[in-house]
Amino acid sequence: MGREGGWWHDGGVSFPTATELRNSADAALAACGAAPLADGPHPARTPITGAVLGGVAATVDGSTAVTRATAAFAAWRTVPAPVRGELVRRLGAQLRTHKADLARLVTLEVGKIESEALGEVQEMIDICDFAVGLSRQLQGFTIASERPGHRLMEQWHPLGPTLVITAFNFPVAVWSWNAALALVCGNPVIWKPSELAPLSALATHALFEQAAAGMDLPADLNQVVLGDGAVGAQLVADERVSLVSATGSTPMGRKVGAAVAARFGRSILELGGNNAAIIAPSADPELVVRGVTFAAAGTAGQRCTTLRRLIVHRSRADEVLARLSTAFASLPVGSPLAKETLVGPLITRKSYDTMQAALSTAVSQGGSVLVGGDRHLADIAPDAAYVRPAIVAMPGQTAIVHDETFAPILYALTYDDFDEAVALHNEVPQGLASSIFTTDLREAERFMSPAGSDCGIANVNIGPSGAEIGGAFGGEKTTGGGRESGSDAWKGYMRRTTNTVNYSNALPLAQGVEYG
Ligand code: NAD
């Protein structure tokens, strides 16, 4: 195989050199207006080869960032919401112009294939469009008062400095879901990105600064604080931070949720998932193969909504698993810079080790690996972790199937009747995304009914991953209960006041109370 778009791809004899990768990162950073790689304290790595691309300079410390955001809030909350929306409109324009540059950094830092990286930036553009419209629709109700000559109404006011903690796997889109809403709602943003993706964050911030330039705005409406979990924990504990929106693993969310609750702050938690698809007797086989393969193997199994459990009706199990095994075996695994690749690398070698440990445990619990799980390209990229997505047939929903292993493992289970399928589906501690493949209307509706899926997302005839920004995104149980992005998720970023106005000459009390 030869060069495709200037890069060696899967099956070729070599991967890009460290210099080529660094130059590519520097070119994308420069295009976004961000500083080039230097010898700073924060290393930027690429999972494509496992190499360190370079260092990143230190950013503002957490406490100073909160002080600045608090000052920015005092001014920003009084700026009319449609003017705040104009800033987000300009951010969307910057993202449109630099979509390919930012997507390249996402590919370099977290290993997404080009089309998924472009899709991630498109999601940022979409939420900016949504938030611009929202900036003219932050509406409260007028409510019928029980008293004559009184008006009862609600207003939504800005909440305060908003901390956005993001995970590595959506290094920029999750910031935008939060930031676009927080900004139009009147809240300055402090961003603690994943330590695995500092470059994407700094490039996004540079685009934000260009969007803000030329507008008469308070300073520090978006600040990036680089660092690890300890830096995040320090920000979380700061009482001046009104809202903490944290996206990442459930263990992280347990700590963040408790710390914010202890100081009566507000949090939006977007944590781990263990998402399933039920394959009913009537399921369309073509939709199943395509939908399941993308949902389970896309982003190398590193989406919070990745399909991890397949609950197949016994009558369809042999056929469905045979077709899926063939599809999984043919997936091109390799450098995400190559056009043909559909499965890029795991984020770290540690993720590979975790995946292997989960596979061994699954086998020890009676599982049988039908396809995948084997390492690829170790000779070409020994410090990277390429792996073929695995399907493991399980005798039941054993302990390992209850865990979220953040790697491409699809556990296959069988069921005999619909209630059993739903019970298996809801048995795990997580509650993010779910789906059913069926052409039976009753089954589809029952799956989405109160007695059906217990997840925040319940889909029919598509997999659990790949949400649109227009809906509220998030999940229940150990997924954390938060909602971000579309619908009325904006209310999580504002405080509600209820106002009663007496325009009469009397002073009637509520509930008919007489007082002197
Ligand atoms: P992670 O929990 O290791 O890290 C996420 C972020 O939390 C990072 O920025 C990290 O520095 C920070 N952090 C860690 N400990 C902290 C602490 N004590 N206080 C404050 N911040 C802390 O997660 P990850 O490996 O980057 O991402 C994968 C996980 O994220 C998976 O579990 C995945 O399901 C989940 N995820 C969930 C969603 C969702 O919307 N539900 C979206 C993306 C990822």
Side-chain angles (χ1 to χ4, degrees), residues 241-265:
V241 174
S242 303
L243 171 63
V244 177
S245 178
T247 299
S249 60
T250 295
M252 178 278 285
R254 272 189 212 287
K255 292 183 202 153
V256 169
V260 178
R263 63 174 178 82
F264 296 102

Side-chain angles (χ1 to χ4, degrees), residues 45 135 281 298 349 358:
R45 292 192 166 80
S135 71
R349 285 286 303 277

Side-chain angles (χ1 to χ4, degrees), residues 205-411:
H205 181 65
L207 295 175
F208 174 87
E209 291 285 288
Q210 289 162 67
M215 282 183 81
D216 183 19
L217 302 174
D220 304 313
L221 290 175
N222 185 65
Q223 299 175 82
V224 175
V225 179
L226 294 182
D228 58 11
V231 171
Q234 186 207 352
L235 283 161
V236 163
D238 196 315
E239 294 193 346
R240 297 170 297 170
V241 174
S242 303
L243 171 63
V244 177
S245 178
T247 299
S249 60
T250 295
M252 178 278 285
R254 272 189 212 287
K255 292 183 202 153
V256 169
V260 178
R263 63 174 178 82
F264 296 102
R266 197 188 292 182
S267 59
I268 296 173
L269 299 176
E270 299 284 354
L271 311 174
N274 191 357
N275 318 295
I278 294 173
I279 311 299
S282 67
D284 179 326
E286 299 308 319
L287 294 189
V288 168
V289 173
R290 289 183 52 214
V292 168
T293 304
F294 171 71
T299 327
Q302 299 169 111
R303 287 189 183 215
C304 50
T305 51
T306 288
L307 175 58
R308 308 199 181 279
R309 297 179 296 136
L310 198 67
I311 303 170
V312 197
H313 192 266
R314 198 174 300 280
S315 66
R316 299 290 303 274
D318 289 348
E319 158 229 339
V320 165
L321 293 179
R323 288 194 63 178
L324 285 173
S325 296
T326 305
F328 273 46
S330 68
L331 286 169
V333 179
S335 165
L337 293 163
K339 298 272 182 243
E340 294 84 349
T341 297
L342 289 178
V343 181
L346 297 180
I347 187 72
T348 57
R349 285 286 303 277
K350 189 166 165 245
S351 299
Y352 174 77
D353 295 342
T354 305
M355 178 178 181
Q356 295 309 308
L359 289 171
S360 302
T361 305
V363 169
S364 73
Q365 292 175 0
S368 151
V369 179
L370 303 182
V371 64
D374 45 321
R375 189 150 173 228
H376 274 240
L377 304 167
D379 49 339
I380 301 172
D383 296 325
Y386 291 88
V387 69
R388 180 166 301 290
I391 301 176
V392 186
M394 296 301 294
Q397 197 149 253
T398 64
I400 189 68
V401 185
H402 287 71
D403 290 346
E404 181 199 47
T405 299
F406 215 57
I409 303 175
L410 179 62
Y411 297 113

